[in-house]
Amino acid sequence: QDFAVARSAPARPTLGSPMGAATWYAIGNVLSSVAIVLVNKRVFAAGFHFPFTLSFFHFCFTVVFYRLLLACNLFELPSSPMPEADKFKVAFAGVASIGFMNVSLSLNSVGFYQVTKLTIVPVTLLINFYMYTVSTTHKVKLSLLILLAGVGIATVSDVDLRPLGLAFGVLAVLSTAMFQIWQGTKQKEYGMSGTQLQYSVSFYQALSSCGLSLAVESFCLAPQQLDGRGECSDSTMAFLSQWRAGRVPDGIVGTILATCFLALLVNWCSFGLIGKTSPITFQVVGHAKTCLVLIGGYVFFPVAGNAQQLYNNIAGVTVAMFGVVLYGHLKHASSEGKPDCLDSCCPAPISRCLDVNKYATVSPSETEGLTRHDPDDSKRNTGPD
């Protein structure tokens, strides 16, 4: 009878459970992110290569969308209002992340840009530890190390950087890490959902991106932006003039509107995923998405190229996906209160070294909304002898 009770205790994840909701947020994030990349490429190919202006449209659309839902009583404001200073802080970090990442990519090689994205995970771990006293087990760090190593092998081919590019890369990593951390902490601090946080910061995001758009994209600031007659040809104002004259591809407005819908969906899934889990899990999902895109490219769009790079890509994706699966397994085993695969296959001394705080009380942020914490867990030892 005791055995039957023990077997029936863990509940299967449902859509309404934290784990079930996190799974759907992760799936939605992957699908919407891939879709918006493809649609954004069409927008840029049509001559509208102004990321801050496009982001401004996205955030304005988000503001209008939630205002309409609020007017139709289909959206509820958070019970605990978020201070304006915190709204601006989170919004500015999000816009700064977009801006610094784009500048870093323009100043450095694609290889260094990929390295920049990989460093977000360890920087997030350090900020969580020193600023929020949130620690992570050595097991999870091991799975993250495997994941990052695989993604690095698959995506980093050349690393060429300049001092100015390095500075913007550091700013990009810090702003991205803080933005993702605040997405989680502010939801918990003010008891709001991901959509409520998205609504709260969208106005300041629109305001910040508008300022950046006016400053760097609305006018020609460099000689290479001028055409042969000395007129400005590479700015939002110039594009607007060309659109009015009918010299841009048809349907560009509809395509931009489609990116607004997709951006709303991407942000909704991102805010929801981080609120249900953590910034680290969000980064893991992002790197898994990169691997899936690479796999899709190998399968559906094979191209002839450097054989060594192809082998590196395949090996890297394999290693990275192993890290993703291991990370998910460790989190699931922790949520179910069961021994994981490392407990089963590693000698007891190594298991204890990998998870020295397994039975200690941990921060709710570390459990990522998936682990049921029992104060008596510190008195029980379910690991290997």
Side-chain angles (χ1 to χ4, degrees), residues 215-216 219-227 230-235:
V216 301
F219 306 97
C220 291
L221 303 177
Q224 56 267 30
Q225 293 178 291
L226 304 178
D227 58 18
E231 297 180 358
C232 181
S233 61
D234 189 20
S235 69

Side-chain angles (χ1 to χ4, degrees), residues 17 39 54 74 99 148-149 159 170 220 234 255 261 277 299 357 372:
S17 68
V39 179
L54 192 60
L74 298 175
L148 296 181
V159 179
V170 172
C220 291
D234 189 20
T255 308
F261 277 104
T277 58
V299 174
N357 297 319
R372 300 186 300 274

Side-chain angles (χ1 to χ4, degrees), residues 56-207:
F56 170 65
F57 292 155
H58 294 168
F59 295 134
C60 286
F61 181 84
T62 301
V63 173
V64 173
F65 178 80
Y66 280 113
R67 292 286 184 181
L68 289 175
L69 290 184
L70 197 60
C72 298
N73 294 322
L74 298 175
F75 177 72
E76 183 179 353
L77 293 175
S79 56
S80 178
M82 189 176 178
E84 298 300 317
D86 279 356
K87 291 181 183 179
F88 178 78
K89 181 172 66 175
V90 176
F92 185 77
V95 176
S97 171
I98 298 173
F100 289 138
M101 279 293 185
N102 280 302
V103 175
S104 175
L105 179 58
S106 65
L107 294 177
N108 301 309
S109 65
V110 176
F112 181 78
Y113 176 74
Q114 292 296 337
V115 171
T116 299
K117 293 174 65 177
L118 294 178
T119 57
I120 294 175
V121 170
V123 169
T124 302
L125 290 174
L126 290 173
I127 294 175
N128 267 330
F129 181 75
Y130 287 106
M131 294 184 62
Y132 297 95
T133 64
V134 176
S135 59
T136 304
T137 65
H138 294 315
K139 290 180 179 179
V140 172
K141 292 176 183 175
L142 176 62
S143 67
L144 294 174
L145 179 62
I146 295 172
L147 165 63
L148 296 181
V151 175
I153 294 171
T155 61
V156 178
S157 56
D158 64 312
V159 179
D160 181 24
L161 69 149
R162 306 167 186 171
L164 184 60
L166 176 61
F168 277 105
V170 172
L171 291 173
V173 171
L174 292 176
S175 58
T176 302
M178 289 306 307
F179 177 56
Q180 293 176 0
I181 289 173
W182 281 336
Q183 285 183 60
T185 58
K186 297 306 178 184
Q187 288 185 52
K188 296 178 176 66
E189 181 177 352
Y190 297 107
M192 57 175 60
S193 65
T195 52
Q196 289 173 332
L197 179 60
Q198 185 182 7
Y199 165 79
S200 298
V201 304
S202 57
F203 172 76
Y204 286 107
Q205 285 181 315
L207 201 62

Side-chain angles (χ1 to χ4, degrees), residues 42-50 53-54 57 213 217-220 225 227 231-256:
R42 293 193 60 181
V43 173
F44 294 151
F48 193 89
H49 42 80
F50 309 108
T53 305
L54 192 60
F57 292 155
S213 171
E217 294 179 347
S218 296
F219 306 97
C220 291
Q225 293 178 291
D227 58 18
E231 297 180 358
C232 181
S233 61
D234 189 20
S235 69
T236 54
M237 295 301 178
F239 185 88
L240 181 60
S241 299
Q242 295 173 4
W243 177 70
R244 288 175 175 174
R247 295 197 300 267
V248 298
D250 295 334
I252 183 64
V253 175
T255 308
I256 291 176

Side-chain angles (χ1 to χ4, degrees), residues 222-339:
Q224 56 267 30
Q225 293 178 291
L226 304 178
D227 58 18
R229 296 174 296 177
E231 297 180 358
C232 181
S233 61
D234 189 20
S235 69
T236 54
M237 295 301 178
F239 185 88
L240 181 60
S241 299
Q242 295 173 4
W243 177 70
R244 288 175 175 174
R247 295 197 300 267
V248 298
D250 295 334
I252 183 64
V253 175
T255 308
I256 291 176
L257 185 61
T259 68
C260 293
F261 277 104
L262 290 172
L264 177 68
L265 184 58
V266 169
N267 289 328
W268 178 71
C269 292
S270 300
F271 279 76
L273 178 60
I274 292 177
K276 293 294 183 182
T277 58
S278 77
I280 297 300
T281 296
F282 178 75
Q283 284 295 321
V284 170
V285 171
H287 290 307
K289 175 178 60 184
T290 300
C291 293
L292 293 175
V293 171
L294 290 174
I295 293 173
Y298 304 150
V299 174
F300 299 108
F301 307 102
V303 294
N306 189 333
Q308 184 60 48
Q309 183 60 42
L310 177 61
Y311 296 148
N312 290 345
N313 291 346
I314 295 175
V317 167
T318 303
V319 173
M321 292 308 295
F322 177 78
V324 170
V325 172
L326 178 60
Y327 179 88
H329 166 72
L330 293 174
K331 287 300 178 182
H332 179 70
S334 175
S335 69
E336 297 291 334
K338 296 179 179 179

